[in-house]
Amino acid sequence: MRDLFQEQLEVLRARSLERKLREIGSAQGPEIDIAERRLINFSSNDYLGLANDSRLREAAVAAIGKFGVGAGASRLVSGTQSLHVRLESAIAKWKGTEAALCFSSGYAAALGTIPALVASNDIILLDKLCHASLIDGAKLSGAILRVFPHNHLGKLENHLEWVQRQHAGKRVLILTESVFSMDGDRAPLRELIELKKHFGALLFLDEAHALAASSNG
Ligand SMILES: Cc1ncc(COP(=O)(O)O)c(C=O)c1O
């Protein structure tokens, strides 16, 4: 078995692409313990400090006391916990939306939603710097995939014109992020909305790094 993957591993090592997990011995926060050293943490996405918030810790302990630690099965098959229903209705109220649906991770959200919005023969137009989960969701949908250079409205418009010419009547989904994970820059949302309306496309925004920014105005 080792031999089967040895060559592949060596290729990864040679390209400095071998990944190793760092073990963290403390709760998440501005400082964390790694290998018995206290380090300042610049790499986390816990921008709001919720991962170790005392009110959330207490609420989580109380919820475990009442509901235990597992959902039992898929919520579609065996019913959904009332806690999840309450969470989704609170999120919908906070975001001012009709409804909300929670997934266990951002990756699961992308894979669960994108194929529900478009299918094979539809079109996805994706910003080049989109997170890998959006690319995987796009591939899983089976839609025709076109990538536009990062935040390049002109190229996106060219793609939309191409869809109009070659794939009239097909559903078109523009995939982007409101705040980009790696570069920290923002998508030009006003212009994207104008384009989406003009061409009758759908717009999918990954707000993994932007929820706090948008909710605080
Ligand atoms: C923009 C974006 N979308 C989706 C994800 C995936 O989220 P998760 O790690 O919860 O699967 C990430 C992860 O960092 C992300 O940066």
Side-chain angles (χ1 to χ4, degrees), residues 179-193:
V179 175
F180 281 82
S181 54
M182 288 305 178
D183 293 40
D185 59 343
R186 294 172 182 229
L189 292 186
R190 211 176 295 277
E191 291 81 358
L192 281 172
I193 287 167

PDB file of all heavy atoms in Angstrom, residues 179-193:
ATOM      1  N   VAL A 179     -16.201  38.908   0.582  1.00  0.00           N
ATOM      2  CA  VAL A 179     -14.835  39.241   1.016  1.00  0.00           C
ATOM      3  C   VAL A 179     -13.998  37.987   0.754  1.00  0.00           C
ATOM      4  O   VAL A 179     -14.353  36.901   1.207  1.00  0.00           O
ATOM      5  CB  VAL A 179     -14.780  39.614   2.513  1.00  0.00           C
ATOM      6  CG1 VAL A 179     -13.337  39.826   2.954  1.00  0.00           C
ATOM      7  CG2 VAL A 179     -15.611  40.854   2.806  1.00  0.00           C
ATOM      8  N   PHE A 180     -12.913  38.151   0.002  1.00  0.00           N
ATOM      9  CA  PHE A 180     -12.146  36.972  -0.433  1.00  0.00           C
ATOM     10  C   PHE A 180     -11.230  36.472   0.677  1.00  0.00           C
ATOM     11  O   PHE A 180     -10.580  37.261   1.371  1.00  0.00           O
ATOM     12  CB  PHE A 180     -11.371  37.286  -1.708  1.00  0.00           C
ATOM     13  CG  PHE A 180     -12.253  37.220  -2.905  1.00  0.00           C
ATOM     14  CD1 PHE A 180     -13.058  38.293  -3.245  1.00  0.00           C
ATOM     15  CD2 PHE A 180     -12.347  36.062  -3.646  1.00  0.00           C
ATOM     16  CE1 PHE A 180     -13.919  38.222  -4.324  1.00  0.00           C
ATOM     17  CE2 PHE A 180     -13.213  35.972  -4.712  1.00  0.00           C
ATOM     18  CZ  PHE A 180     -13.994  37.053  -5.055  1.00  0.00           C
ATOM     19  N   SER A 181     -11.180  35.140   0.795  1.00  0.00           N
ATOM     20  CA  SER A 181     -10.506  34.521   1.935  1.00  0.00           C
ATOM     21  C   SER A 181      -9.006  34.784   1.941  1.00  0.00           C
ATOM     22  O   SER A 181      -8.441  35.056   2.993  1.00  0.00           O
ATOM     23  CB  SER A 181     -10.777  33.026   1.939  1.00  0.00           C
ATOM     24  OG  SER A 181     -10.418  32.457   0.708  1.00  0.00           O
ATOM     25  N   MET A 182      -8.352  34.692   0.807  1.00  0.00           N
ATOM     26  CA  MET A 182      -6.898  34.782   0.789  1.00  0.00           C
ATOM     27  C   MET A 182      -6.413  36.221   0.678  1.00  0.00           C
ATOM     28  O   MET A 182      -5.511  36.645   1.381  1.00  0.00           O
ATOM     29  CB  MET A 182      -6.330  33.954  -0.368  1.00  0.00           C
ATOM     30  CG  MET A 182      -6.439  32.486  -0.131  1.00  0.00           C
ATOM     31  SD  MET A 182      -5.663  32.061   1.432  1.00  0.00           S
ATOM     32  CE  MET A 182      -5.964  30.350   1.523  1.00  0.00           C
ATOM     33  N   ASP A 183      -7.023  36.998  -0.227  1.00  0.00           N
ATOM     34  CA  ASP A 183      -6.532  38.356  -0.466  1.00  0.00           C
ATOM     35  C   ASP A 183      -7.206  39.388   0.438  1.00  0.00           C
ATOM     36  O   ASP A 183      -6.701  40.498   0.596  1.00  0.00           O
ATOM     37  CB  ASP A 183      -6.735  38.743  -1.939  1.00  0.00           C
ATOM     38  CG  ASP A 183      -5.851  37.910  -2.852  1.00  0.00           C
ATOM     39  OD1 ASP A 183      -5.727  36.704  -2.574  1.00  0.00           O
ATOM     40  OD2 ASP A 183      -5.286  38.458  -3.808  1.00  0.00           O
ATOM     41  N   GLY A 184      -8.366  39.040   0.994  1.00  0.00           N
ATOM     42  CA  GLY A 184      -9.058  39.970   1.897  1.00  0.00           C
ATOM     43  C   GLY A 184      -9.718  41.131   1.169  1.00  0.00           C
ATOM     44  O   GLY A 184     -10.206  42.057   1.799  1.00  0.00           O
ATOM     45  N   ASP A 185      -9.733  41.106  -0.169  1.00  0.00           N
ATOM     46  CA  ASP A 185     -10.401  42.198  -0.900  1.00  0.00           C
ATOM     47  C   ASP A 185     -11.871  41.840  -1.123  1.00  0.00           C
ATOM     48  O   ASP A 185     -12.309  40.741  -0.813  1.00  0.00           O
ATOM     49  CB  ASP A 185      -9.671  42.501  -2.218  1.00  0.00           C
ATOM     50  CG  ASP A 185      -9.601  41.300  -3.130  1.00  0.00           C
ATOM     51  OD1 ASP A 185      -9.813  40.164  -2.655  1.00  0.00           O
ATOM     52  OD2 ASP A 185      -9.354  41.485  -4.326  1.00  0.00           O
ATOM     53  N   ARG A 186     -12.623  42.805  -1.645  1.00  0.00           N
ATOM     54  CA  ARG A 186     -14.074  42.621  -1.773  1.00  0.00           C
ATOM     55  C   ARG A 186     -14.510  42.519  -3.228  1.00  0.00           C
ATOM     56  O   ARG A 186     -13.857  43.095  -4.101  1.00  0.00           O
ATOM     57  CB  ARG A 186     -14.805  43.822  -1.182  1.00  0.00           C
ATOM     58  CG  ARG A 186     -14.627  43.956   0.300  1.00  0.00           C
ATOM     59  CD  ARG A 186     -15.210  45.279   0.775  1.00  0.00           C
ATOM     60  NE  ARG A 186     -14.991  45.400   2.203  1.00  0.00           N
ATOM     61  CZ  ARG A 186     -15.933  45.731   3.075  1.00  0.00           C
ATOM     62  NH1 ARG A 186     -17.142  46.013   2.679  1.00  0.00           N
ATOM     63  NH2 ARG A 186     -15.654  45.799   4.362  1.00  0.00           N
ATOM     64  N   ALA A 187     -15.621  41.856  -3.440  1.00  0.00           N
ATOM     65  CA  ALA A 187     -16.205  41.818  -4.793  1.00  0.00           C
ATOM     66  C   ALA A 187     -16.984  43.113  -5.016  1.00  0.00           C
ATOM     67  O   ALA A 187     -17.541  43.666  -4.066  1.00  0.00           O
ATOM     68  CB  ALA A 187     -17.146  40.623  -4.900  1.00  0.00           C
ATOM     69  N   PRO A 188     -17.024  43.616  -6.258  1.00  0.00           N
ATOM     70  CA  PRO A 188     -17.805  44.823  -6.554  1.00  0.00           C
ATOM     71  C   PRO A 188     -19.295  44.491  -6.622  1.00  0.00           C
ATOM     72  O   PRO A 188     -19.851  44.290  -7.695  1.00  0.00           O
ATOM     73  CB  PRO A 188     -17.248  45.261  -7.921  1.00  0.00           C
ATOM     74  CG  PRO A 188     -16.724  44.014  -8.537  1.00  0.00           C
ATOM     75  CD  PRO A 188     -16.356  43.056  -7.448  1.00  0.00           C
ATOM     76  N   LEU A 189     -19.926  44.425  -5.460  1.00  0.00           N
ATOM     77  CA  LEU A 189     -21.282  43.867  -5.377  1.00  0.00           C
ATOM     78  C   LEU A 189     -22.320  44.669  -6.163  1.00  0.00           C
ATOM     79  O   LEU A 189     -23.175  44.098  -6.832  1.00  0.00           O
ATOM     80  CB  LEU A 189     -21.721  43.765  -3.917  1.00  0.00           C
ATOM     81  CG  LEU A 189     -20.954  42.736  -3.075  1.00  0.00           C
ATOM     82  CD1 LEU A 189     -21.559  42.616  -1.698  1.00  0.00           C
ATOM     83  CD2 LEU A 189     -20.947  41.386  -3.763  1.00  0.00           C
ATOM     84  N   ARG A 190     -22.241  46.008  -6.062  1.00  0.00           N
ATOM     85  CA  ARG A 190     -23.235  46.830  -6.763  1.00  0.00           C
ATOM     86  C   ARG A 190     -23.223  46.518  -8.264  1.00  0.00           C
ATOM     87  O   ARG A 190     -24.255  46.279  -8.877  1.00  0.00           O
ATOM     88  CB  ARG A 190     -22.899  48.307  -6.528  1.00  0.00           C
ATOM     89  CG  ARG A 190     -24.111  49.213  -6.515  1.00  0.00           C
ATOM     90  CD  ARG A 190     -23.699  50.634  -6.183  1.00  0.00           C
ATOM     91  NE  ARG A 190     -23.161  50.780  -4.848  1.00  0.00           N
ATOM     92  CZ  ARG A 190     -23.898  50.928  -3.744  1.00  0.00           C
ATOM     93  NH1 ARG A 190     -25.200  50.921  -3.851  1.00  0.00           N
ATOM     94  NH2 ARG A 190     -23.337  51.046  -2.558  1.00  0.00           N
ATOM     95  N   GLU A 191     -21.997  46.479  -8.830  1.00  0.00           N
ATOM     96  CA  GLU A 191     -21.872  46.226 -10.272  1.00  0.00           C
ATOM     97  C   GLU A 191     -22.293  44.790 -10.612  1.00  0.00           C
ATOM     98  O   GLU A 191     -22.904  44.536 -11.652  1.00  0.00           O
ATOM     99  CB  GLU A 191     -20.426  46.466 -10.739  1.00  0.00           C
ATOM    100  CG  GLU A 191     -19.976  47.916 -10.706  1.00  0.00           C
ATOM    101  CD  GLU A 191     -19.553  48.399  -9.320  1.00  0.00           C
ATOM    102  OE1 GLU A 191     -19.641  47.609  -8.352  1.00  0.00           O
ATOM    103  OE2 GLU A 191     -19.141  49.563  -9.201  1.00  0.00           O
ATOM    104  N   LEU A 192     -21.949  43.853  -9.733  1.00  0.00           N
ATOM    105  CA  LEU A 192     -22.340  42.457  -9.980  1.00  0.00           C
ATOM    106  C   LEU A 192     -23.861  42.321 -10.018  1.00  0.00           C
ATOM    107  O   LEU A 192     -24.416  41.593 -10.850  1.00  0.00           O
ATOM    108  CB  LEU A 192     -21.783  41.557  -8.872  1.00  0.00           C
ATOM    109  CG  LEU A 192     -20.309  41.179  -8.976  1.00  0.00           C
ATOM    110  CD1 LEU A 192     -19.854  40.455  -7.724  1.00  0.00           C
ATOM    111  CD2 LEU A 192     -20.071  40.302 -10.201  1.00  0.00           C
ATOM    112  N   ILE A 193     -24.516  43.045  -9.120  1.00  0.00           N
ATOM    113  CA  ILE A 193     -25.987  42.965  -9.080  1.00  0.00           C
ATOM    114  C   ILE A 193     -26.578  43.585 -10.351  1.00  0.00           C
ATOM    115  O   ILE A 193     -27.531  43.046 -10.931  1.00  0.00           O
ATOM    116  CB  ILE A 193     -26.523  43.604  -7.781  1.00  0.00           C
ATOM    117  CG1 ILE A 193     -26.202  42.664  -6.620  1.00  0.00           C
ATOM    118  CG2 ILE A 193     -28.023  43.868  -7.862  1.00  0.00           C
ATOM    119  CD1 ILE A 193     -26.358  43.241  -5.248  1.00  0.00           C
TER     120      ILE A 193
END
